[in-house]
Amino acid sequence: PDSEPQSIPSGERTDLDCPFEDKDECKSLGGKWDGDAKKWYVPAGEDTAPFAKWIIDTSKPLGKWPG
């Protein structure tokens, strides 16, 4: 059995929460823009470490809905 946890399935891109003002930095690191989804992402197989500050952490709750 594979003992190492994989938070991101291999072969899938990693979506980023990159604000407009950071787009040039993200692009220079190898990030790609998805015009249809209107978001930046790290292509499959690329090292996600340089993009850590923009990676969407799906393991944390987003908080409660207002109301």
Side-chain angles (χ1 to χ4, degrees):
D2 188 3
S3 60
E4 296 208 13
Q6 285 189 330
S7 58
I8 306 215
S10 59
E12 291 186 19
R13 75 183 200 180
T14 303
D15 288 339
L16 303 172
D17 183 19
C18 177
F20 181 79
E21 58 267 18
D22 289 351
K23 69 178 180 61
D24 292 331
E25 181 183 355
C26 184
K27 185 177 182 179
S28 73
L29 292 170
K32 303 293 182 190
W33 173 251
D34 181 336
D36 293 329
K38 295 188 175 9
K39 63 174 61 175
W40 288 90
Y41 66 93
V42 182
E46 295 291 321
D47 182 14
T48 58
F51 303 92
K53 67 180 178 179
W54 302 304
I55 291 177
I56 301 165
D57 187 352
T58 57
S59 69
K60 292 183 181 175
L62 296 175
K64 296 183 179 181
W65 289 98

